[in-house]
Amino acid sequence: MKIGIVSDSHGSYSHIDSMLNHKEALAAELWLFAGDIAMDADYLAMVTDKEVIRVAGNNDWPGGRLPDYETADIAGHTVLLTHGHLFGVNFGLNNLQRAALDVGADIAVYGHTHVAVEETIDDVLILNPGSIARPRDAANGSFMVLDLQPNKSPVVKLIRI
Ligand SMILES: [Mn+2]
């Protein structure tokens, strides 16, 4: 199953539209939105007509309608989705990796840093799609497509818009 991963669009629907011009994005059957900001996930769900699993970012109002983290069982894998600020991701990924193990996840997805990451730490695949609208690691924003199949290693593709 192909899963689109996007984060930190910060209200820029035009960057989401640019993302959806890519064939890889159109192939996604499900989306994970890692926060900042909530209404962009609504927009993504509306224009793709796909399910968007979403969490709150630090710029989403406290006490809002989104959870701080979600777990999802997808094609034999378990994904922990969270924005990352609550796990101190600016200072390393160990807290996030431990949280993934705590909930039985083999994949952790986060955002917040606006820097794309694909890293495996002690059997947990940790992914950050970067920011689609305000990248800090390149001129163009980025998103990921994750292909999950039962009993197979995840396949990750980072795409720059
Ligand atoms: Mn953030």
Side-chain angles (χ1 to χ4, degrees):
M1 182 178 195
K2 291 195 171 162
I3 301 142
I5 306 176
V6 63
S7 190
D8 295 275
S9 39
H10 287 278
S12 177
Y13 294 172
S14 66
H15 286 91
I16 292 174
D17 290 342
S18 298
M19 175 177 83
L20 294 173
N21 284 331
H22 289 255
K23 66 180 191 305
E24 293 94 339
L26 296 177
E29 299 162 70
L30 167 73
W31 283 90
L32 306 179
F33 181 81
D36 282 350
I37 58 177
M39 66 180 182
D40 303 343
D42 293 336
Y43 178 75
L44 179 63
M46 185 183 75
V47 296
T48 62
D49 207 24
K50 298 282 175 5
E51 182 187 358
V52 180
I53 301 173
R54 59 195 84 176
V55 291
N58 58 306
N59 291 296
D60 292 312
W61 296 108
R65 61 201 164 91
L66 295 185
D68 290 323
Y69 67 91
E70 286 276 13
T71 57
D73 294 319
I74 305 166
H77 297 265
T78 300
V79 180
L80 169 66
L81 174 67
T82 192
H83 187 59
H85 58 298
L86 299 175
F87 296 95
V89 294
N90 284 322
F91 309 102
L93 298 174
N94 288 339
N95 291 341
L96 180 61
Q97 190 266 349
R98 273 195 293 271
L101 290 179
D102 282 349
V103 299
D106 57 322
I107 302 168
V109 174
Y110 72 107
H112 188 54
T113 62
H114 299 207
V115 173
V117 169
E118 178 186 349
E119 191 174 332
T120 300
I121 304 176
D122 292 341
D123 295 329
V124 178
L125 173 63
I126 301 181
L127 300 175
N128 186 328
S131 169
I132 196 71
R134 300 183 189 174
R136 295 181 185 139
D137 55 353
N140 292 346
S142 57
F143 68 103
M144 283 176 170
V145 174
L146 170 66
D147 193 359
L148 292 183
Q149 306 290 340
N151 304 314
K152 284 192 184 171
S153 296
V155 177
V156 181
K157 187 167 186 188
L158 176 73
I159 300 130
R160 296 268 167 202
I161 65 168

